Amino acid sequence: MTRALSWILSLTALASLVLLVGVFTWQSSVIWQRDGIAYVTGHSWFYRQQQFGAFSLLYGSIVVSSMALLLAGPLGLGAALFIAEYLPQKTRLVLKSLIELLAGIPSVVYGLLGILLLRGWVYETFERFEPLSGDTLLTAGILLAIMLLPTVVSLSEDALRAVPASQRRAARALGLTRAETIWSVCLPQARRGITSAFLLALGRSLGETVAIFLVVGRQDNNVPHSWLSPAPLLQAGQTLTSKLGGAETNIAYGDPLHWSAIMGLGLILLILTGAATLLGTVRRERNA
Amino acid sequence: MRPILTLGLYLATAGFVSAAPLKINGSTTVNLPVAEAAEILRAENKLDIQVDTQGGSGGGISMLGDGLVQMGMSSKPVSEDDRKKYPQCDFHETRIGEDAVALIVSKDVWESGVHELNKAQIKDLYGGKVTNWRDLGGVKSQRIVFFNKEPGRGTWEVFVHWLYGSPKLAPQVNFPEVGGNEETRNKVGSTRGAISQLSASWADGKTVFALAVSGDDGQPVEPTPNHIATHKYPMSRPLFVLTNGAPVGDAKTTVDFLLSPRGQKLVEKHGYLPLKALAK
Amino acid sequence: MSEVPPILQIQKLEVRTHARLLLRNITLSIFEGEIFGLIGPSGAGKSTLLRSLNRLNDLLPGLYVKGDVLLRGQSVYARDTDVNSIRTRIGMLFQQPVIFPTTIRENVLFGAKRVLALGKVEQTVRVESALRESSLWDEVKDRLQQPASALSVGQQQRLCLARALAVQPEVLLMDEPTSALDPRSTAAIEELLLRLKTRHTIVIVTHNITQARRVTNSLAFVAIQDGAGEILEHGATKALLSAPKNPILADYLTHSS
Amino acid sequence: MRKAKDLLLGTLLGACLLATLAIVGGLVFAIVHRGWPAISVSFFTEQIRLVGADGGIFWNLIGTGILLVTALLASAPCAVSLALLERVWLRSPQLRRLLRLALYTINGLPSIVFGIFGFIVFVQWCGWGKSWLAGGLVLAMSMLPTVTIVLLERIAAIPTRYVEAAAALGLNRTQIVWAVLMRQSWGGLISGSLLGLARAAGETAPIMFTATIFAGATFPRAVVESPVLTLSYHIFILAQDSFAPAVGTKLWGAALVLLGLVFSFTLAALPARLRQHEESNV
């Protein structure tokens, strides 16, 4: 009885998740059949003209997420190292709990802070680079970095904790300084765990919706002419998620082609976040 | 405390009462008077009304067309395309007031001397052919930052209808998008060199300024109530609530209220022209 | 012997946690070239004492140390002492071999490379000499680039010894270095200890009286007295084991053999 | 030189921690500072008036509560089942690993995807329209992996000797499940659910297409076409569309209440998690 019931409920839960992937694949089939890979590589998205090229959205998502990771990664890792390697057990637990608490701040609250505080700050601070407004990819990247910080700290600290204390002790007994121990013992041995933490954070940042939606500017088709210049970061852009959370999702339902293009974005997002999370999870398993 | 009592009442009667609520969705422009009317109707007539503004006018039309709501709010007439798209729905428009789409600019643009634009200039602007305010009569050199109303918003449709005749004929453009009216006003007000389309009543003359627009005759016209009422200002637009067929039941109560003197006062309160101003 | 100053001098050492005294009034002298054994029942504080000598206890928060240890007359606990250089001069071997997840060669050089800043050639020389000293050279000379984790536990412990020797410490601390090993590996280590004695000073914690008799010159017996660890008796190994004066030690010896 | 490097790194890392705490802590402070003036009894007991400029967040709290209770009721039994499946019923290590990987991966999927899924399946296909049940189920899906993973960790931490002792008494697997595993992992289910709820309470993306509208909804009396108001959507809409000074304070107040809600869920789960932390460190 117990057994049958738990099988039934488990299978229901798993089936609904399989259905989720299935629905996105099936509902987006129209656009894949029409455009094939050009749907992903195409640069123009004009739904009134029935042009659906997801490239600029992909670009926006990846740029914003990498910026966030580039900012939050080193800072978060540094903080995690300090917590794991310098602080006594008690302080460590308190700080760790605090950081986990902060990791739960809802994204809509970050969005509110972003729209009311960060937008203006970016606009004024980067004035000499002539941003058109405060809604830029950079704004979204910084906001996302702040959101990711607690996650990065917490997961990196877990990874560092997984390095046995005996290893640290042995290194210190040889006369190595704390810094040398960190470089030669802790970081190399926690490498997998740390990259895993970054991958999980990347997955989370790719999927973040409402906070980005509020500050990214939602400008379609913004692909830079030059890949080397940092100027495009100070322009408005659009990410997969800001498109999915925006007005078009409501408008599109009922128009098979448009809807299928929207669902295609969902599928791409599923694949990206799924891949990052899966990779991160497998690495974490190996680290433990 | 009243909501708590109401909750108790609901809990007690849950399962017995199943009157369907009146659901309204659509334009943020029309939403202001309607939402306030709904508050009054909920309190005085015990109507169960839910108001949402997802997707703007386009959202209102499509959700009414799909039967997801019983009343739509729109700041543009229902187009033939929409009627074709939802053949099962008999869109019935009730005009509750009149508004105009203004082109609003930030303070620095206004102070730089740009107070009016003609149709050709606006076309260049929207088409991305001019990118500096100096080319549009500004004293200072300042890049133009165009915030475009997002798809589905009535404001945008009225704007391109006037400029190009139809949304389909509008050029493909890439501008940062803005949604609701307050968002638009805030972004334009806080950005140098900014311009956007916005309901004229929202142009406060302090943070954002409405430009005069010259039509085909070349005479610049400000979006003043008088000019809107007489349709001298080219981008004036009716404000509608939409129903499937003539309004009945709760929808009729709501529509009647909106057309009553009290309802019309709400329209006026939010800066739009009441129907009697149009009759003049 | 007494004319030569001791290499390690423990002076009125006291270790406590916030709540409890662990070691009371420890005073001992350890001389150059001898193997000094610490014996006593479990929980008496032998390991704590050993770790106080190179201040490894610093890594555990909540331990407070009073008194001092002198290494060749230099205070270990003085405020301006460089702890890391003290630990370099006093090497340590743990109960369980602690192997870093890298090659055999890198394990040997793990400390030496960083602490002594050796050049390329010197490194190679040092690897060989350290491994020869710990009698591991012949077994691993052909696979220095292989992961150290492939070695047997006994070999790993000798590798740890080689790693400690590679920084050329003046004193070696060993915390029950053979407790995780089988009899054959234990014998190998003990043999090694006797050979090392000529050039190194060793302080070893052991549970095994036979081992103590075989390898040490001097012994100290640590046991709990009035709730804290104390040295109840110390002296030359032979004298102490054959004619214990302290009744607790006598009792301990009868029950452990 | 070595000493200087040691000192430098320590300072640098300490600065990283301080910066992290300052940034995130500063944000919390900003919310508390701006939102506090809005907090009063009537803020919790009145409904929204004048498009957020007046009144309180009563129905938003009720709506959030309805969604959370629904999500909890839907996800908890599934979480227990999945955890038992992984720990007890599945015998193949490969299958168990696959299930674990799937759970962790789903845990990382973006909530907007769940929202759009709910929009298609519940709102459109089932014809519910915007409904509290749709939102509750979507939130249940998005919090299910969190709950299951915490529960799994808790069950895994039960010493095998208990299971062995029970088995030695002749109990079968079902009996062991009830007598040992379930009894000892209650805490895991509760702390897992609390963490899941903390996550769900703050979600906006999954419910904006499925369950929530801006104004007018009260207590749902049916499934079909019965949306609710929620705190997160309230903030989302006002953050975009209203900067009127009167709305401002109320808006920050709503953010503060939401933050308090999320924090209290997380804090309630903390003791159990700390205990497990200590156990796993031994």
Side-chain angles (χ1 to χ4, degrees):
Chain A
M1 182 57 197
T2 308
R3 182 174 185 170
L5 195 66
S6 72
W7 269 102
I8 292 169
L9 283 175
S10 300
L11 290 181
T12 314
L14 290 173
S16 64
L17 292 159
V18 172
L19 183 68
L20 182 135
V21 179
V23 160
F24 276 89
T25 315
W26 168 49
Q27 294 267 304
S28 63
S29 61
V30 177
I31 194 72
W32 295 113
Q33 273 162 20
R34 194 191 79 159
D35 290 356
I37 195 69
Y39 167 63
V40 182
T41 55
H43 282 220
S44 22
W45 181 288
F46 295 104
Y47 79 93
R48 285 192 188 81
Q49 281 74 21
Q50 305 251 300
Q51 291 178 24
F52 302 105
F55 185 80
S56 66
L57 306 172
L58 205 59
Y59 161 80
S61 278
I62 288 171
V63 161
V64 168
S65 298
S66 351
M67 240 184 325
L69 217 54
L70 228 55
L71 293 172
L75 191 59
L77 181 58
L81 275 168
F82 196 80
I83 295 178
E85 307 296 334
Y86 287 79
L87 295 178
Q89 165 97 353
K90 266 208 188 114
T91 326
R92 215 190 82 225
L93 279 180
V94 171
L95 267 179
K96 176 99 171 150
S97 311
L98 186 70
I99 298 256
E100 282 186 8
L101 190 69
L102 294 174
I105 299 179
S107 56
V108 68
V109 172
Y110 278 105
L112 180 64
L113 291 161
I115 207 167
L116 291 171
L117 303 175
L118 192 61
R119 275 186 70 233
W121 183 80
V122 168
Y123 188 49
E124 299 306 329
T125 310
F126 295 91
E127 199 183 342
R128 58 200 195 86
F129 300 104
E130 301 183 337
L132 281 176
S133 75
D135 301 298
T136 65
L137 291 170
L138 181 71
T139 318
I142 294 175
L143 186 62
L144 201 51
I146 297 172
M147 285 186 70
L148 286 185
L149 258 179
T151 312
V152 172
V153 174
S154 182
L155 290 171
S156 308
E157 207 267 351
D158 285 345
L160 289 165
R161 272 293 112 196
V163 177
S166 62
Q167 299 265 324
R168 289 186 186 85
R169 206 160 47 221
R172 295 306 295 280
L174 284 168
L176 266 58
T177 62
R178 216 193 284 256
E180 284 166 339
T181 310
I182 288 173
W183 281 119
S184 59
V185 178
C186 304
L187 282 177
Q189 291 195 42
R191 206 184 60 224
R192 264 177 195 286
I194 291 166
T195 49
S196 146
F198 285 10
L199 276 169
L200 294 177
L202 177 69
R204 186 170 164 199
S205 70
L206 283 169
E208 176 46 45
T209 307
V210 294
I212 294 182
F213 180 89
L214 291 173
V215 298
V216 79
R218 285 169 279 151
Q219 176 174 359
D220 276 337
N221 303 315
N222 191 1
V223 180
H225 302 293
S226 153
W227 293 95
L228 296 174
S229 151
L233 299 182
L234 282 166
Q235 289 174 8
Q238 182 92 273
T239 67
L240 291 166
T241 50
S242 71
K243 189 63 137 185
L244 282 171
E248 268 194 59
T249 303
N250 269 313
I251 297 171
Y253 197 80
D255 174 347
L257 186 65
H258 191 190
W259 179 248
S260 132
I262 292 285
M263 293 303 279
L265 298 180
L267 188 65
I268 295 173
L269 185 63
L270 268 177
I271 292 171
L272 286 182
T273 52
T277 316
L278 188 64
L279 223 63
T281 309
V282 171
R283 284 190 83 90
R284 206 157 99 116
E285 259 187 357
R286 299 229 177 100
N287 187 63
Chain B
M1 288 313 271
R2 250 222 340 269
I4 292 184
L5 295 178
T6 324
L7 174 63
L9 197 72
Y10 279 144
L11 287 173
T13 57
F16 303 102
V17 187
S18 61
L22 172 68
K23 300 210 297 179
I24 308 177
N25 184 54
S27 155
T28 48
T29 308
V30 187
N31 175 55
L32 291 175
V34 172
E36 217 174 317
E39 278 174 26
I40 295 171
L41 289 170
R42 272 198 292 270
E44 294 181 3
N45 298 34
K46 302 280 173 273
L47 286 195
D48 188 0
I49 306 183
Q50 302 170 353
V51 189
D52 200 5
T53 58
Q54 224 173 52
S57 298
I61 291 170
S62 65
M63 285 173 85
L64 181 66
D66 281 327
L68 294 174
V69 296
Q70 288 74 48
M71 190 183 277
M73 300 180 284
S74 178
S75 53
K76 58 165 188 172
V78 180
S79 68
E80 279 314 306
D81 282 351
D82 288 327
R83 289 184 192 275
K84 261 187 230 142
K85 196 167 160 192
Y86 302 102
Q88 73 278 18
C89 181
D90 168 26
F91 288 100
H92 183 279
E93 299 166 342
T94 308
R95 191 187 206 180
I96 61 163
E98 185 89 5
D99 180 35
V101 172
L103 285 169
I104 55 147
V105 293
S106 53
K107 198 169 185 188
D108 65 306
V109 176
W110 185 258
E111 284 172 352
S112 167
V114 183
H115 292 184
E116 57 183 69
L117 291 174
N118 62 39
K119 205 167 179 174
Q121 286 174 319
I122 298 171
K123 268 190 180 164
D124 286 350
L125 193 84
Y126 191 74
K129 290 204 191 76
V130 291
T131 52
N132 198 303
W133 283 112
R134 180 165 278 174
D135 302 329
L136 294 173
V139 181
K140 275 196 322 197
S141 167
Q142 168 69 45
R143 279 194 304 171
I144 297 171
V145 183
F146 198 111
F147 289 104
N148 202 7
K149 275 274 193 175
E150 69 187 8
R153 297 284 177 179
T155 312
W156 183 85
E157 305 246 342
V158 169
F159 172 75
V160 292
H161 259 289
W162 169 69
L163 206 53
Y164 299 103
S166 136
K168 286 241 167 78
L169 298 175
Q172 302 179 343
V173 294
N174 299 306
F175 293 119
E177 282 174 3
V178 286
N181 291 331
E182 193 58 71
E183 183 185 13
T184 312
R185 178 158 71 182
N186 179 57
K187 286 194 176 175
V188 170
S190 65
T191 307
R192 288 179 289 277
I195 178 169
S196 182
Q197 316 98 325
L198 182 66
S199 167
S201 63
W202 291 70
D204 53 12
K206 280 176 266 171
T207 57
V208 296
F209 300 80
L211 297 179
V213 169
S214 50
D216 303 323
D217 63 348
Q219 274 300 326
V221 183
E222 289 103 23
T224 56
N226 198 14
H227 289 153
I228 297 167
T230 56
H231 285 199
K232 218 177 148 198
Y233 181 77
M235 278 184 285
S236 54
R237 57 172 174 179
L239 303 178
F240 292 121
V241 291
L242 311 170
T243 44
N244 185 357
V248 288
D250 289 353
K252 184 166 182 349
T253 317
T254 310
V255 169
D256 288 347
F257 180 81
L258 284 167
L259 297 177
S260 75
R262 274 177 81 197
Q264 286 293 301
K265 260 216 177 82
L266 292 180
V267 172
E268 212 171 349
K269 175 183 163 190
H270 288 285
Y272 310 129
L273 289 182
L275 294 170
K276 69 171 193 287
L278 295 173
K280 270 189 263 171
Chain C
M1 229 178 175
S2 53
E3 294 135 39
V4 193
I7 185 165
L8 267 181
Q9 242 177 316
I10 308 171
Q11 295 178 334
K12 294 194 172 160
L13 193 74
E14 189 179 297
V15 182
R16 60 179 310 137
T17 66
H18 197 64
R20 194 164 87 82
L21 192 62
L22 298 178
L23 289 173
R24 178 191 299 129
N25 195 22
I26 306 286
T27 301
L28 270 182
S29 292
I30 294 162
F31 291 91
E32 191 149 12
E34 72 173 344
I35 299 190
F36 192 99
L38 291 171
I39 56 170
S42 321
K46 301 186 298 291
S47 293
T48 308
L49 175 55
L50 196 71
R51 283 163 192 225
S52 311
L53 302 185
N54 66 347
R55 285 183 66 176
L56 208 59
N57 278 337
D58 288 14
L59 301 186
L60 297 175
L63 279 187
Y64 307 97
V65 177
K66 261 202 234 162
D68 202 355
V69 176
L70 301 183
L71 174 63
R72 290 195 200 279
Q74 183 198 341
S75 166
V76 168
Y77 278 93
R79 193 170 290 173
D80 57 348
T81 303
D82 180 354
V83 188
N84 294 315
S85 78
I86 288 290
R87 291 194 188 125
T88 308
R89 289 168 64 190
I90 307 180
M92 186 156 190
L93 209 57
F94 300 91
Q95 267 183 16
Q96 302 277 343
V98 180
I99 289 294
F100 295 112
T102 172
T103 62
I104 292 172
R105 182 189 148 95
E106 282 307 305
N107 257 287
V108 176
L109 287 172
F110 205 89
K113 203 160 88 178
R114 297 178 170 90
V115 174
L116 306 177
L118 297 179
K120 266 258 143 47
V121 184
E122 290 167 294
Q123 286 184 11
T124 312
V125 174
R126 187 59 60 90
V127 170
E128 180 169 347
S129 65
L131 283 171
R132 276 191 194 283
E133 263 195 298
S134 58
S135 309
L136 203 58
W137 177 251
D138 292 331
E139 291 162 63
V140 301
K141 65 180 177 207
D142 300 324
R143 44 176 176 148
L144 291 177
Q145 296 303 335
Q146 281 176 20
S149 52
L151 298 175
S152 75
V153 181
Q155 288 172 320
Q156 286 185 5
Q157 191 64 304
R158 275 182 281 152
L159 181 62
C160 292
L161 183 59
R163 185 173 67 204
L165 290 172
V167 289
Q168 296 179 324
E170 296 158 46
V171 180
L172 264 175
L173 309 179
M174 300 188 180
D175 191 355
E176 299 184 42
T178 59
S179 64
L181 306 183
D182 60 47
R184 251 183 71 180
S185 309
T186 304
I189 297 262
E190 286 179 4
E191 215 169 286
L192 194 54
L193 286 180
L194 291 172
R195 253 187 40 213
L196 288 174
K197 179 157 73 166
T198 51
R199 269 168 300 161
H200 296 275
T201 312
I202 296 171
V203 185
I204 180 169
V205 169
T206 177
H207 263 308
N208 186 331
I209 302 298
T210 328
Q211 187 175 60
R213 180 173 290 131
R214 264 206 299 273
V215 299
T216 64
N217 310 90
S218 309
L219 272 183
F221 175 63
V222 186
I224 302 278
Q225 178 108 322
D226 300 330
E230 275 188 53
I231 293 186
L232 298 187
E233 191 170 344
H234 65 97
T237 302
K238 265 184 200 150
L240 193 125
L241 290 184
S242 51
K245 293 185 196 103
N246 186 296
I248 304 178
L249 172 58
D251 189 55
Y252 176 75
L253 289 177
T254 17
H255 285 95
S256 348
S257 48
Chain D
M1 187 58 195
R2 290 175 60 218
K3 223 170 169 180
K5 269 188 196 164
D6 192 33
L7 205 68
L8 186 71
L9 188 71
T11 320
L12 202 69
L13 297 180
C16 282
L17 179 61
L18 279 182
T20 302
L21 290 175
I23 291 172
V24 191
L27 294 184
V28 174
F29 174 77
I31 295 164
V32 175
H33 181 69
R34 284 154 194 251
W36 190 250
I39 304 294
S40 66
V41 174
S42 64
F43 188 61
F44 291 98
T45 56
E46 283 181 11
Q47 60 187 21
I48 312 171
R49 285 201 307 273
L50 303 180
V51 202
D54 198 9
I57 50 169
F58 178 76
W59 291 114
N60 304 79
L61 281 170
I62 295 291
T64 302
I66 290 170
L67 290 185
L68 292 185
V69 170
T70 314
L72 180 65
L73 291 180
S75 64
C78 292
V80 173
S81 302
L82 282 167
L84 287 180
L85 192 68
E86 200 274 338
R87 288 277 107 192
V88 185
W89 309 124
L90 282 183
R91 285 161 190 258
S92 141
Q94 285 88 8
L95 276 182
R96 291 164 78 162
R97 174 158 186 261
L98 200 66
L99 182 59
R100 262 197 322 273
L101 279 184
L103 282 172
Y104 278 99
T105 308
I106 296 162
N107 199 21
L109 292 184
S111 52
I112 179 81
V113 169
F114 291 102
I116 290 178
F117 174 74
F119 175 72
I120 304 170
V121 175
F122 301 124
V123 177
Q124 298 290 347
W125 293 352
C126 299
W128 292 353
K130 278 189 176 182
S131 159
W132 58 273
L133 186 59
L137 291 178
V138 168
L139 286 182
M141 283 178 79
S142 76
M143 71 185 260
L144 178 62
T146 311
V147 188
T148 314
I149 287 166
V150 175
L151 185 58
L152 265 182
E153 282 169 3
R154 182 66 229 162
I155 297 182
I158 296 174
T160 38
R161 58 173 193 274
Y162 290 135
V163 178
E164 282 166 1
L169 289 171
L171 271 65
N172 67 27
R173 277 147 82 87
T174 307
Q175 287 165 328
I176 291 176
V177 164
W178 287 109
V180 182
L181 298 185
M182 289 320 297
R183 190 155 298 179
Q184 302 236 359
S185 57
W186 264 115
L189 182 60
I190 292 171
S191 62
S193 296
L194 284 168
L195 289 182
L197 286 177
R199 179 176 160 173
E203 288 281 19
T204 312
I207 53 175
M208 61 184 181
F209 295 121
T210 55
T212 172
I213 57 171
F214 177 68
T218 52
F219 198 81
R221 279 162 290 163
V223 169
V224 176
E225 301 291 354
S226 306
V228 287
L229 304 186
T230 61
L231 275 175
S232 57
Y233 190 63
H234 183 73
I235 299 168
F236 179 64
I237 291 296
L238 288 185
Q240 279 182 83
D241 214 13
S242 193
F243 301 87
V247 178
T249 312
K250 299 265 176 197
L251 175 56
W252 289 105
L256 178 59
V257 172
L258 180 62
L259 202 65
L261 194 68
V262 172
F263 279 4
S264 43
F265 281 131
T266 318
L267 281 175
L270 195 63
R273 284 179 55 75
L274 280 185
R275 211 172 318 129
Q276 188 154 353
H277 239 272
E278 274 164 28
E279 276 170 20
S280 64
N281 266 6
V282 172

